[in-house]
Amino acid sequence: MNPEGVTETAQRRDIPRVCPKRDKLMAQTSFITGQYVCVHQVAATVLQRVVAFLVDLCVMFFSSLIVGIIVGNLAIMLGSGTIVLMLILNIPILMYPLLMEVFNHGQSLGKKLVGIKVVCLDGSTPPISSYILRWVLLLVDTMAFIGLTCIVFTRNSQRLGDLAAGTTVVSLAREGYYGNLFNFSFAESGYQPIYPQATNLSMSQFRLIASILSSRPNALRNDRLLRLAEKTRRVMGVNVAPGTDAEYFLVNVYNDYQYFMSKMV
């Protein structure tokens, strides 16, 4: 992130993108948002996915059974058209996994019941083409435990459909939000501070900056960042180039403050 007007030194600085450690026994997916925030996702367990699949299988089975009973009662009236009608009414049932994931934000009834959902590896919502790929390969995945084997042995717990579509299934209960990722960049070798005036800040002012930077992204946070950046600029007595991103400025001040304080110890 290199906002327009930021000094060359600031533009060269890379903010570390290291996420907190989690259970190494679980497949994990982490991605970085545009606001230096790490969102950490843990893949759904094999048990969760199996239970969700069985629930969805039951939904499809009983739906097909009901259709069969209704059409069977109309067999005398329909005659030779009975089979045709049966096939037509079963098409939506066969497409149930696809339709539910597309229109229910990556969750079938089974997935919703156990608290899991389909996402792209970067945490975004999959496009329809990805859902279609997963659905087309579902039959292959159910043959000879192919899908189950892939889930167990792939890094992100992906079945063939997921591998082809670039998706995975994550546990919503274990999805985590972990604050900003710049905390220790001041300790890097060769760190070059930008604002020596950061030492003008009091400890309470520094803690306020840390608190707001670590808060969840929303409209209120953005407004606070803007007001805090302006107040911090006045306290420090520095001029900031027009167009400088408020959060980027505060990140640099945060790190510079820690850098200079560490030199005093």
Side-chain angles (χ1 to χ4, degrees):
M1 180 177 176
N2 296 325
E4 184 179 356
V6 178
T7 63
E8 182 180 355
T9 303
Q11 291 178 354
R12 289 200 305 266
R13 179 170 303 169
D14 293 324
I15 296 175
R17 296 189 171 189
V18 180
C19 297
K21 294 181 180 179
R22 296 297 297 268
D23 187 350
K24 294 182 179 180
L25 296 179
M26 293 183 177
Q28 304 169 26
T29 301
S30 301
F31 62 96
I32 311 300
T33 70
Q35 301 195 23
Y36 310 114
V37 172
C38 175
V39 176
H40 191 93
Q41 299 178 129
V42 178
T45 64
V46 173
L47 179 60
Q48 284 179 308
R49 296 189 68 164
V50 169
V51 171
F53 174 75
L54 292 177
V55 170
D56 291 333
L57 203 59
C58 288
V59 171
M60 296 173 68
F61 172 77
F62 285 109
S63 297
S64 183
L65 184 62
I66 293 172
V67 168
I69 292 173
I70 295 174
V71 175
N73 291 331
L74 299 175
I76 298 177
M77 296 175 52
L78 297 174
S80 59
T82 302
I83 297 177
V84 175
L85 180 61
M86 180 73 78
L87 292 174
I88 292 175
L89 293 179
N90 272 286
I91 290 177
I93 297 175
L94 292 173
M95 296 182 67
Y96 156 81
L98 171 63
L99 296 175
M100 284 298 296
E101 289 181 358
V102 169
F103 295 106
N104 196 40
H105 310 290
Q107 289 184 295
S108 61
L109 291 179
K111 289 183 177 67
K112 194 171 187 65
L113 180 66
V114 299
I116 60 178
K117 69 180 292 186
V118 180
V119 297
C120 288
L121 292 177
D122 64 358
S124 62
T125 300
I128 294 179
S129 58
S130 294
Y131 287 127
I132 293 175
L133 267 176
R134 296 185 81 256
W135 176 67
V136 168
L137 292 173
L138 179 60
L139 179 61
V140 178
D141 278 318
T142 56
M143 296 170 57
F145 301 105
I146 293 176
L148 186 61
T149 303
C150 289
I151 291 172
V152 172
F153 291 103
T154 54
R155 177 180 178 183
N156 294 306
S157 296
Q158 296 168 286
R159 62 177 176 86
L160 286 181
D162 289 316
L163 291 169
T167 59
T168 187
V169 179
V170 298
S171 174
L172 297 181
R174 294 190 178 95
E175 185 175 11
Y177 169 93
Y178 300 91
N180 299 67
L181 309 177
F182 43 78
N183 300 26
F184 298 105
S185 65
F186 74 94
E188 292 178 348
S189 176
Y191 179 86
Q192 297 181 0
I194 300 174
Y195 303 110
Q197 301 91 335
T199 55
N200 295 340
L201 299 173
S202 66
M203 178 59 71
S204 61
Q205 290 170 329
F206 168 75
R207 287 175 177 170
L208 177 61
I209 292 174
S211 175
I212 294 180
L213 284 174
S214 299
S215 62
R216 287 181 178 273
N218 52 45
L220 181 59
R221 177 180 184 272
N222 293 337
D223 180 63
R224 287 176 175 174
L225 284 171
L226 290 172
R227 290 189 286 113
L228 181 60
E230 177 58 26
K231 185 175 181 179
T232 302
R233 184 192 65 78
R234 292 200 304 267
V235 170
M236 291 170 51
V238 298
N239 294 320
V240 180
T244 300
D245 181 80
E247 183 172 11
Y248 191 88
F249 167 70
L250 291 173
V251 166
N252 288 325
V253 171
Y254 176 98
N255 286 320
D256 288 352
Y257 181 92
Q258 293 196 89
Y259 172 82
F260 288 114
M261 289 301 104
S262 67
K263 299 298 182 182
M264 296 179 183
V265 177

